[in-house]
Amino acid sequence: MNAELEEQEDELLALASIYSQEFRRAVSGLGGEIRVSLDLPRDFSVIVKAGDKHRDYVISFLPPLVLTFDLPLDYPSTSSPEFILSCKWLSHSQLSAVCKHLDEIWEDTVGSVVLFYWVQFLREDLLDFLNIRPPLEIPVNDQGQATPSTEGSEAGDSQGEAEGSVVETSDEAAVSLDPRALSMLATDTDLLVHLLDYDERQRLRVFEGQAYDCGICFMSKLGCSQYRKCGHIYCNECMSEYFTVQIRDGNVRGLTCPEPECSSTATPSQVKRLVGEELFTRYDRLLLQSTLDRMADVIYCARKACVAPVVLEPDTTAALCPSCRYAFCTICRKTYHGTSHCKLRANTLLTSGSDSAAESSYAGVPQTEAGLQGLWEDYASGSEERRMFLEKRYGKHILNTVVEESLSEGWKGQNSKKCPSCRANIQKTGGCNKMACFTCGQYFCWVCLKQQLHHRAILIHH
């Protein structure tokens, strides 16, 4: 008896040493739990079929099998370990076949410790034993969820179910199920989602435990301090500074991978983790604004104190702000005036000059840019009496708003060019002719305005 207890203790110590992360010994008694992760081939995948369509997903990790055991007093000389085998992606009949095979392994090694051989079989040979070859097929229920089927063939042979599938046995075959087999498959949950989530978590755990060279600073750091999005790896410090510069410059659509020709974009959760709450708030706001600016059926409220986004209704020039309930015209951006003509702004009048209602509204206002420039200089540099005269003649609103806006448009026409992608106005202050749009991130030539491919981001460390 003492010899058997010694063998049991030695075996438990060996398991704890070999499988330090997977093995957990029972608090009292001679038993424990081992989480056995399978060694999958490189090309292993799961497939979900729904009618004539199918989806294929490459995975590197499957949820582990859990072997819970107790060692009887006469183990290993006489009795086998008592155990329960559970799994979240194998059916009852498949697990029953595995339990019976574990009994066969014990019968071949009576008198010797067997737990290590069991774990080795589950880790290395389980897929071959169950005839599971990639891709692993997962049935789909009527709701479109990838769940185990409740129909299938009986587990008549030692290899369980049909090749490469997760299939539950019928009620008729349930009498042959091993009570030690505990399938944790649930018919009301999406098995595919569970498998993909587990695979992603394990990939991240492996990544964070290894060292990689940053593609920007070329220093080797652990994965837990690295940024990985599309297979290209950079340290968090470099990516944090890169994102910070882009967000402060307003280029929220430029948070792409620094690798040339790679268009992978960072997710909001990654951005928040790297730049902090304050910059992320700015990023979130600018990203929303940039998205709305690209939508042809969205404008902003005409009230400067509001400027909430407003969705345009088709075949009408009326817009109603959902925030402040201000109704305005989408053309002149004044209070909605029904079928009456818009009182066009002076800069619009410069280009059309044909609307009689507009001409009467701006009677006496110069109709050329040079005339507007002279009027503005006269008003800005004139005496108090001169200002009052001009305001009485043209109206203070015309002088302060319409003339100023017209001159601004003229200045932009002379000193800026429009992005060939999103038509945003861009001013060139220096450097080479390869420009990057601050709104959409498009690269183009300043001379010919031809769009160019993405080039490698340069990050300067201070």
Side-chain angles (χ1 to χ4, degrees):
M1 184 67 68
N2 290 335
E4 289 182 339
L5 287 176
E6 185 176 345
E7 285 190 78
Q8 294 175 13
E9 286 290 348
D10 290 344
E11 184 178 28
L12 294 176
L13 289 174
L15 290 174
S17 176
I18 298 173
Y19 306 109
S20 58
Q21 301 295 325
E22 299 90 347
F23 173 67
R24 183 175 61 183
R25 183 168 177 173
V27 177
S28 61
L30 296 172
E33 176 185 282
I34 305 177
R35 304 175 66 86
V36 184
S37 298
L38 277 61
D39 294 335
L40 300 181
R42 288 184 175 272
D43 60 346
F44 193 86
S45 62
V46 295
I47 186 171
V48 177
K49 292 184 178 180
D52 297 334
K53 299 180 180 180
H54 70 275
R55 293 174 293 171
D56 202 344
Y57 304 87
V58 177
I59 61 176
S60 300
F61 302 93
L62 283 172
L65 287 83
V66 180
L67 179 65
T68 306
F69 64 89
D70 282 310
L71 303 180
L73 295 178
D74 55 354
Y75 168 81
S77 62
T78 306
S79 299
S80 167
E82 300 173 356
F83 68 90
I84 294 176
L85 185 64
S86 60
C87 182
K88 292 185 177 180
W89 55 274
L90 289 177
S91 66
H92 279 97
S93 55
Q94 288 172 317
L95 287 175
S96 296
V98 175
C99 290
K100 293 175 182 178
H101 188 71
L102 294 183
D103 290 337
E104 294 173 1
I105 296 177
W106 159 251
E107 292 171 0
D108 292 338
T109 59
V110 173
S112 301
V113 291
V114 73
L115 291 176
F116 176 78
Y117 298 107
W118 283 359
V119 173
Q120 190 175 29
F121 161 74
L122 295 174
R123 183 186 297 274
E124 300 176 2
D125 302 323
L126 179 67
L127 296 181
D128 290 336
F129 173 77
L130 294 176
N131 276 343
I132 295 178
R133 302 286 187 273
L136 175 66
E137 183 177 344
I138 303 176
V140 177
N141 62 14
D142 295 337
Q143 288 75 37
Q145 290 182 319
T147 59
S149 171
T150 56
E151 299 178 356
S153 60
E154 297 185 11
D157 57 19
S158 62
Q159 293 180 326
E161 305 302 340
E163 180 175 332
S165 64
V166 177
V167 184
E168 185 57 278
T169 57
S170 63
D171 293 338
E172 183 180 354
V175 294
S176 63
L177 298 180
D178 195 307
R180 299 170 298 179
L182 179 60
S183 176
M184 301 176 68
L185 286 172
T187 56
D188 60 344
T189 58
D190 196 324
L191 177 59
L192 177 65
V193 173
H194 175 72
L195 295 181
L196 295 179
D197 286 347
Y198 179 82
D199 180 65
E200 179 61 27
R201 291 196 303 270
Q202 291 302 107
R203 286 174 185 262
L204 181 60
R205 183 183 64 82
V206 172
F207 173 77
E208 291 180 345
Q210 298 178 0
Y212 301 88
D213 291 335
C214 171
I216 296 177
C217 66
F218 304 109
M219 296 184 65
S220 181
K221 299 179 181 179
L222 283 176
C224 59
S225 61
Q226 298 274 17
Y227 169 88
R228 180 193 64 170
K229 171 64 179 175
C230 49
H232 304 121
I233 300 174
Y234 310 94
C235 70
N236 286 341
E237 288 80 2
C238 289
M239 291 306 294
S240 176
E241 186 170 350
Y242 172 52
F243 285 172
T244 298
V245 171
Q246 297 289 342
I247 295 173
R248 286 177 177 170
D249 289 346
N251 187 20
V252 293
R253 293 191 176 273
L255 304 187
T256 57
C257 174
E259 185 70 20
E261 313 303 329
C262 182
S263 58
S264 177
T265 305
T267 63
S269 61
Q270 291 173 324
V271 176
K272 185 175 183 179
R273 179 170 60 88
L274 290 172
V275 302
E277 191 68 34
E278 182 178 352
L279 270 180
F280 179 77
T281 301
R282 172 179 170 81
Y283 160 81
D284 195 41
R285 175 175 55 82
L286 293 178
L287 184 61
L288 175 60
Q289 181 178 335
S290 175
T291 302
L292 294 175
D293 289 344
R294 288 168 169 248
M295 300 173 66
D297 60 343
V298 174
I299 61 173
Y300 293 96
C301 177
R303 281 180 171 167
K304 294 183 178 181
C306 178
V307 295
V310 180
V311 178
L312 298 178
E313 296 293 336
D315 303 324
T316 180
T317 59
L320 180 63
C321 176
S323 179
C324 67
R325 311 305 296 175
Y326 176 56
F328 60 96
C329 173
T330 60
I331 298 177
C332 66
R333 299 183 64 78
K334 301 296 182 182
T335 301
Y336 184 63
H337 45 75
T339 58
S340 301
H341 291 291
C342 296
K343 295 183 179 181
L344 299 178
R345 299 184 179 190
N347 61 328
T348 307
L349 193 60
L350 288 175
T351 58
S352 61
S354 59
D355 192 301
S356 58
E359 290 174 1
S360 62
S361 299
Y362 292 99
V365 176
Q367 303 298 298
T368 64
E369 185 176 333
L372 288 171
Q373 178 71 35
L375 176 60
W376 177 252
E377 291 178 355
D378 186 12
Y379 177 75
S381 60
S383 63
E384 187 67 25
E385 293 78 7
R386 180 63 177 171
R387 284 172 175 265
M388 292 179 64
F389 171 77
L390 293 176
E391 289 175 1
K392 183 176 180 180
R393 179 178 181 182
Y394 298 109
K396 189 173 183 179
H397 173 73
I398 295 294
L399 293 170
N400 289 338
T401 304
V402 181
V403 175
E404 185 176 0
E405 288 185 4
S406 300
L407 296 178
S408 297
E409 290 296 325
W411 184 93
K412 286 191 291 185
Q414 295 177 2
N415 297 275
S416 67
K417 294 183 179 181
K418 292 186 178 295
C419 168
S421 176
C422 68
R423 311 304 296 170
N425 289 298
I426 299 176
Q427 180 188 12
K428 182 175 182 292
T429 58
C432 69
N433 288 322
K434 190 165 189 177
M435 305 292 292
C437 176
F438 69 94
T439 300
C440 66
Q442 175 65 51
Y443 290 91
F444 64 93
C445 174
W446 179 256
V447 178
C448 65
L449 297 180
K450 182 178 179 181
Q451 298 184 21
Q452 297 185 0
L453 297 175
H454 174 47
H455 72 278
R456 186 178 184 87
I458 300 176
L459 184 63
I460 301 177
H461 292 275
H462 298 282

